[in-house]
């Protein structure tokens, strides 16, 4: 199941409830960041805005050029989390096994549930209507025998529709679509496929897999299987998804060109990354830093640690060392910090040659519990005073249960 | 009825089960004076969960300027705010 232009629908429904006379979904409108802090991209758009060829991810400026009357509203992530929570609550009545795939996408295992609810197709219609009536927004539901086909089915024709995409319907419903529509085909892969004359999902499905493997490696086989509607990934409850790494990044409202500010930005990211790491009970064995310059050039650098850490300061120290190797003083607009190679924080191999972090761990624990109790801003490092930077940065939704976007079914 | 959606001050009593019953509300008029309306009867109460935001909608009857009128009040659970929704 997929919510139709999720952020925008939620915003529109909420505004109607608050007494607005205009339904944002009926006019060209979009949810976008704030251009003043340079987060000025389109996050979601209404269906009338789609007619102006406005695309998710483009700048507000270029969207305004395409449609001068476009209404742009700021995002409200708390509202979106609330909507997605309620949506999940409704879904739990329909099946015990639900996977939240992203903020607005869910997989629901209906095996055996027909005894309780009856035919899946009519149940899907009923579910769609319940959501529309209770929560005030529309969804698309795709029904099939595996997750890939269900997802492809939910994206066929929008909004407010139920589609089936069973294996026997693949040649008529899925193969005529352009290859970019296939789950897992992004900008880079689509270019590679188009260069070789593969334009539709059908072309890809009929291609020789060994040929695909030659230029896409094992991913080619996966895509070939997807194009033929083959996928055997199970529906997993979100608790079961193993985290492999975590990171945060931020677009800075101004260009950073001095070392001290850059280090402060890294520190604010290290605070969030460290907190998330500790909350999940991990230590990281690898730290990686990425930067994007004002010319939109992207660089990254990573380092393995001898001793796995979960301390904000230790992560920050490594990140600063990486930054010094990576950065030559170009103005920066975006910085990211990510940790990976995770292991459990209560059981790992310590090292004789590294400084003991016991004291650090204790202070991190104290700070985490203060922040949990009194809010994230209750205590912060004095380095951020008068710096114009937020003491914690990165991330939009403060809970970790599902990935914002993923390529793993 | 027209959608109005203006914040109001109100007095309500709550049952043991936590169900509010508005008794009267007060609204600021354009000339900065307060106008109090007594609710003589609650006709219906429905809960809406639009966008996951819980609100109770009360359809009420009361006397406004010597006329018995029907109006709707909204109570937002997350903020404990009352609104004059429709009149």
């Amino acid at each position: 199941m997929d919510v139709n232009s999720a952020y925008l629908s939620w915003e529109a429904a909420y505004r109607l409830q608050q007494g607005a006379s205009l339904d944002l979904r009926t006019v060209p409108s979009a949810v976008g960041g704030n251009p003043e802090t340079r987060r000025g991209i389109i996050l979601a758009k209404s269906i009338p805005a789609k007619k102006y060829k406005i695309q998710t991810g483009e700048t507000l400026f270029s969207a305004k050029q395409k449609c001068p009357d476009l209404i742009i509203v700021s995002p409200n992530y708390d509202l979106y989390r609330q909507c997605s929570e309620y949506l999940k609550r409704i879904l739990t009545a329909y099946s015990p096994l639900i996977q939240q795939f992203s903020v607005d996408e869910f997989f629901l295992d209906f095996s055996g549930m027909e005894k309780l609810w009856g035919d899946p197709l009519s149940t899907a219609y009923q579910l769609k209507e319940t959501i529309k009536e209770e929560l005030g927004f529309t969804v698309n539901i795709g029904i099939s025998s595996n997750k890939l086909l269900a997802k492809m089915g939910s994206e066929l024709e929008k909004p407010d529709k139920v589609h089936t995409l069973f294996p026997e319907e693949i040649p008529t419903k899925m193969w005529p679509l352009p290859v970019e529509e296939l789950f897992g085909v992004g900008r880079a892969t689509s270019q590679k496929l188009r260069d070789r004359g593969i334009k539709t999902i059908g072309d890809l499905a009929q291609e020789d897999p060994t040929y695909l493997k030659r230029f896409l490696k094992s991913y080619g086989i996966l895509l070939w299987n997807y194009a033929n509607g083959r996928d055997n990934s199970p529906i997993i409850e979100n608790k079961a998804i193993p985290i492999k790494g975590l990171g945060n990044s931020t677009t800075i409202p101004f260009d950073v060109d001095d070392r001290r500010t850059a280090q402060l930005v890294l520190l604010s990211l290290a605070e969030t990354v460290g907190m998330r790491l500790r909350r999940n009970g991990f230590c990281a064995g690898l730290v990686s830093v990425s930067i994007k310059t004002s010319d939109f050039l992207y660089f990254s650098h990573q380092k393995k640690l001898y001793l796995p850490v979960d301390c904000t300061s230790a992560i920050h120290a490594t990140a600063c060392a990486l930054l010094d190797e990576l950065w030559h003083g170009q103005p920066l607009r975006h910085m990211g910090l990510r940790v990976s190679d995770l292991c459990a924080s209560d059981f790992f191999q310590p090292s004789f040659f590294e400084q003991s972090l016991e004291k650090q761990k204790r202070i991190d624990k104290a700070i985490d519990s203060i922040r949990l109790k009194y809010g994230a801003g209750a205590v912060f490092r004095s380095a951020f005073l008068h710096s114009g930077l937020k003491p914690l940065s990165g991330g939009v939704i403060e809970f970790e249960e599902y990935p914002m976007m993923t390529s793993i079914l | 009825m027209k959608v109005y959606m203006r914040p109001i001050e109100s007095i309500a009593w709550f049952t043991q089960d936590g169900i509010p019953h508005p008794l009267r509300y007060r609204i600021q008029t354009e000339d900065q004076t307060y106008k109090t309306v007594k609710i003589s009867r609650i006709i219906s109460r429905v809960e809406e969960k639009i966008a996951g935001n819980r609100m109770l909608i009360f359809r009420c009857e009361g006397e406004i300027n010597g006329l018995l009128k029907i109006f709707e009040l909204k109570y937002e659970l997350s903020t404990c705010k009352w609104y004059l929704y429709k009149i």
Side-chain angles (χ1 to χ4, degrees), chain A residues 283 306-314 348-364:
Chain A
C283 271
Y306 295 113
L307 177 69
V309 293
D310 63 357
C311 300
T312 303
S313 299
F348 60 87
Q349 176 64 54
S351 163
F352 272 133
F353 308 105
E354 297 279 323
Q355 207 184 341
S356 165
L357 294 168
E358 274 314 306
K359 226 175 152 182
Q360 270 297 328
K361 276 180 191 282
R362 286 210 301 276
I363 185 132
D364 279 333

Side-chain angles (χ1 to χ4, degrees), chain A residues 54 58-67:
Chain A
I54 288 167
E58 76 171 303
T59 59
L60 297 187
F61 180 75
S62 87
K64 274 270 188 194
Q65 276 183 326
K66 289 180 189 170
C67 173

Side-chain angles (χ1 to χ4, degrees), chain A residues 10 13-14 16-19 79 82-83 86 132-137, chain B residues 3-5 47-55 74 76 78 83 85:
Chain A
W10 291 338
Y14 179 72
L16 284 182
Q17 191 201 26
Q18 295 290 330
L79 171 71
Q82 181 182 301
C83 289
Y86 263 85
K132 189 155 72 171
E133 195 166 305
E134 278 199 28
L135 301 179
F137 54 83
Chain B
V3 176
Y4 209 51
M5 203 64 187
E47 185 184 329
E48 70 167 29
K49 283 180 279 191
I50 302 292
N53 190 23
R54 288 175 69 194
M55 277 191 169
K74 256 188 175 186
E76 191 173 38
S78 59
Y83 297 94
Y85 177 43

Side-chain angles (χ1 to χ4, degrees), chain B residues 11-46:
Chain B
I11 298 174
W13 65 276
F14 286 70
T15 64
Q16 267 186 20
D17 308 318
I19 298 164
H21 291 258
L23 292 174
R24 57 182 66 188
Y25 73 84
R26 195 165 83 145
I27 191 162
Q28 210 170 13
T29 52
E30 273 113 48
D31 51 1
Q32 303 300 313
T33 54
Y34 282 103
K35 173 133 189 65
T36 306
V37 175
K38 191 169 173 292
I39 292 149
S40 50
R41 193 162 70 99
I42 296 171
I43 301 165
S44 69
R45 184 191 74 235
V46 283

Side-chain angles (χ1 to χ4, degrees), chain A residues 124-154:
Chain A
Y125 275 105
Q126 188 196 335
L127 172 62
K128 173 175 86 72
E129 290 308 314
T130 310
I131 292 167
K132 189 155 72 171
E133 195 166 305
E134 278 199 28
L135 301 179
F137 54 83
T138 60
V139 297
N140 257 40
I141 299 178
I143 304 171
S144 189
S145 47
N146 64 40
K147 279 163 77 180
L148 176 92
L149 288 175
K151 180 161 167 54
M152 294 301 295
S154 74

Side-chain angles (χ1 to χ4, degrees), chain A residues 200-396:
Chain A
T200 64
I201 298 178
D203 292 346
L204 181 62
Q206 261 124 42
E207 200 50 74
D208 176 13
T210 49
Y211 171 64
L212 295 169
K213 200 174 176 183
R214 242 179 281 158
F215 63 97
L216 290 172
K217 307 289 179 286
S218 63
Y219 195 54
I221 307 291
L222 181 75
L223 287 183
W224 177 71
N225 278 323
Y226 280 179
N228 283 292
R230 288 190 286 261
D231 159 49
N232 62 359
S233 56
I235 294 188
I236 31 178
E237 276 186 273
N238 291 73
K239 288 168 242 156
I241 296 182
I243 305 176
K244 287 186 175 172
L246 46 89
N248 277 113
S249 65
T250 184
T251 300
I252 310 139
F254 51 89
D255 280 342
V256 171
D257 46 15
D258 66 300
R259 189 160 167 262
R260 192 184 131 76
T261 316
Q263 289 185 341
L264 267 183
V265 174
L266 279 183
L267 182 58
S268 70
L269 291 168
E271 291 270 11
T272 18
V273 170
M275 256 168 74
R276 291 173 61 194
L277 202 55
R278 292 188 291 273
R279 198 188 318 160
N280 288 292
F282 288 124
C283 271
L286 182 117
V287 176
S288 133
V289 168
S290 64
I291 53 175
K292 201 189 278 173
T293 67
S294 55
D295 308 323
F296 289 89
L297 294 171
Y298 177 86
F299 304 95
S300 77
H301 215 36
Q302 65 181 43
K303 189 186 175 187
K304 263 191 102 97
L305 307 173
Y306 295 113
L307 177 69
V309 293
D310 63 357
C311 300
T312 303
S313 299
I315 296 168
H316 180 235
T318 314
C320 286
L322 285 169
L323 181 73
D324 284 341
E325 286 178 32
L326 175 66
W327 184 41
H328 306 293
Q330 312 94 311
L332 300 179
R333 64 172 278 126
H334 182 101
M335 297 179 80
L337 176 64
R338 121 161 240 105
V339 293
S340 154
D341 200 5
L342 305 178
C343 63
S345 60
D346 51 355
F347 186 76
F348 60 87
Q349 176 64 54
S351 163
F352 272 133
F353 308 105
E354 297 279 323
Q355 207 184 341
S356 165
L357 294 168
E358 274 314 306
K359 226 175 152 182
Q360 270 297 328
K361 276 180 191 282
R362 286 210 301 276
I363 185 132
D364 279 333
K365 202 177 157 201
I367 288 177
D368 286 351
S369 51
I370 292 173
R371 284 186 176 153
L372 196 68
K373 194 166 173 190
Y374 299 105
V379 51
F380 64 90
R381 294 178 192 241
S382 58
F384 288 105
L385 278 174
H386 314 299
S387 67
L389 291 165
K390 281 194 288 178
L392 283 92
S393 65
V396 287

